[in-house]
């Protein structure tokens, strides 16, 4: 006997409807049904609901070795950048097949000294834990970071990083040795002093080279720049 289980209004109770000839048996009696090809599938909703209720999450941040505090620079003035959460990304920066973690960080406002804060890169140890390799990887550079985009902009097989910021954005080239080099100036991206938020890599003209799009807040904007064969960038939209 084929049965179709459906959830009826008024609660999660499941009721069965059975096809008998040209009628349908319901809790309210027989109801005529159209005579056409109709395959009734058994939908086991009860077990799905039960399994969903059993799924739980547990905070293992400390256990995994992630020790990160976001510096939003707040000191009472409630400036807009202070309300922005930091960007983050999974990136297999050393191509070992295990996703590593990058956490973007802010920095103190001018005139408000404090310990320097930088982005943090955590290497996946393959055992459920991570190790802070920020300084070793060359990413211990103070900035008021906001967002991050991961992409292999020079097609060398290694994922690079573009970090948006309040002020100067930064492009970090993956050297393929577990380290990064800040190539913002050599790539032609130095100069714009903006409030950039999100970013993305996209090959908009399908030539095999990644192009960057940056979203900026307010009246400021970052031009779309296209990667040329000489690994420099030229403006194609403003």
């Amino acid at each position: 006997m084929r049965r179709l289980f459906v959830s009826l209004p008024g609660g999660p109770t499941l009721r069965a409807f059975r096809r008998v000839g040209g009628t349908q048996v319901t809790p309210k009696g027989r109801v005529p049904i159209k005579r056409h090809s109709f395959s009734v599938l058994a939908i086991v909703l009860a077990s799905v609901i039960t399994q969903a209720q059993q799924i739980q999450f547990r905070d293992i941040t400390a256990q995994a070795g992630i020790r990160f505090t976001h510096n939003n620079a707040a000191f009472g003035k409630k400036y807009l950048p202070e309300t922005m959460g930091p960007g983050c990304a999974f990136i297999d920066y050393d191509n070992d097949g295990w996703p590593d973690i990058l956490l973007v960080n802010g920095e103190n406002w001018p005139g408000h000294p404090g310990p320097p804060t930088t982005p943090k890169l955590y290497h996946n140890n393959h055992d459920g834990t991570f190790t802070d390799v920020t300084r070793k990887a060359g990413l211990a550079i103070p900035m008021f970071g906001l967002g991050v985009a991961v992409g292999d902009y020079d097609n060398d097989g290694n994922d690079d990083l573009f970090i948006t910021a309040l002020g100067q954005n930064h492009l970090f080239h993956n050297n393929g040795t577990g380290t990064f080099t800040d190539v913002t100036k050599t790539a032609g991206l130095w100069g714009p002093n903006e409030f950039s938020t999100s970013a993305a890599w996209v090959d908009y003209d399908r030539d095999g080279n990644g192009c960057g799009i940056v979203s900026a807040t307010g009246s400021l904007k970052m031009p779309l720049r296209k990667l040329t064969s000489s690994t420099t960038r030229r403006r194609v939209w403003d």
Side-chain angles (χ1 to χ4, degrees):
M1 180 181 298
R2 297 170 182 159
R3 293 179 181 271
L4 173 63
F5 294 89
V6 296
S7 178
L8 299 178
T13 305
L14 301 180
R15 301 184 183 182
F17 293 82
R18 179 163 52 95
R19 180 178 178 181
V20 180
T23 64
Q24 178 174 276
V25 179
T26 77
K28 295 183 178 180
R30 293 177 179 270
V31 178
I33 62 173
K34 295 181 180 180
R35 294 180 178 276
H36 60 271
S37 177
F38 181 66
S39 298
V40 183
L41 302 177
I43 305 176
V44 191
L45 296 178
S47 62
V48 174
I49 294 174
T50 301
Q51 293 177 10
Q53 292 175 342
Q54 294 176 347
I55 297 175
Q56 296 180 346
F57 290 89
R58 182 165 52 93
D59 187 349
I60 59 169
T61 308
Q63 177 183 333
I66 304 296
R67 295 173 177 82
F68 173 82
T69 300
H70 175 225
N71 178 12
N72 67 356
F75 66 97
K77 292 295 186 180
K78 299 183 179 180
Y79 293 144
L80 178 58
E82 299 171 2
T83 68
M84 309 288 289
C88 61
F90 283 103
I91 173 176
D92 183 11
Y93 78 98
D94 55 355
N95 286 331
D96 63 355
W98 296 78
D100 311 295
I101 298 175
L102 178 84
L103 301 175
V104 179
N105 209 350
E107 64 177 347
N108 294 327
W109 294 112
H112 296 269
T117 51
T118 71
K120 291 291 184 180
L121 178 64
Y122 289 91
H123 177 260
N124 192 323
N125 299 325
H126 311 173
D127 60 1
T129 66
F130 293 81
T131 299
D132 185 347
V133 294
T134 309
R135 189 167 299 278
K136 178 181 178 181
L139 293 175
I141 299 177
M143 69 182 80
F144 203 118
L146 291 168
V148 59
V150 177
D152 180 12
Y153 79 91
D154 57 352
N155 293 331
D156 64 354
N158 300 306
D159 282 337
D160 310 296
L161 294 168
F162 184 79
I163 299 180
T164 61
L166 176 64
Q168 179 63 59
N169 298 324
H170 290 267
L171 175 64
F172 294 95
H173 177 259
N174 189 329
N175 302 318
T177 59
T179 63
F180 291 83
T181 299
D182 189 342
V183 295
T184 310
K185 291 183 178 181
T186 57
L189 293 174
W190 189 266
N193 192 338
E194 302 176 323
F195 181 9
S196 302
T197 52
S198 59
W201 293 103
V202 56
D203 182 10
Y204 83 99
D205 55 358
R206 299 184 180 181
D207 65 351
N209 296 314
C211 308
I213 299 178
V214 181
S215 174
T217 299
S219 61
L220 301 174
K221 63 181 179 179
M222 182 76 170
L224 171 68
R225 298 176 184 269
K226 172 182 167 55
L227 183 66
T228 63
S229 58
S230 61
T231 72
T232 59
R233 292 174 179 269
R234 61 183 176 87
R235 179 175 299 185
V236 296
W237 176 84
D238 192 348

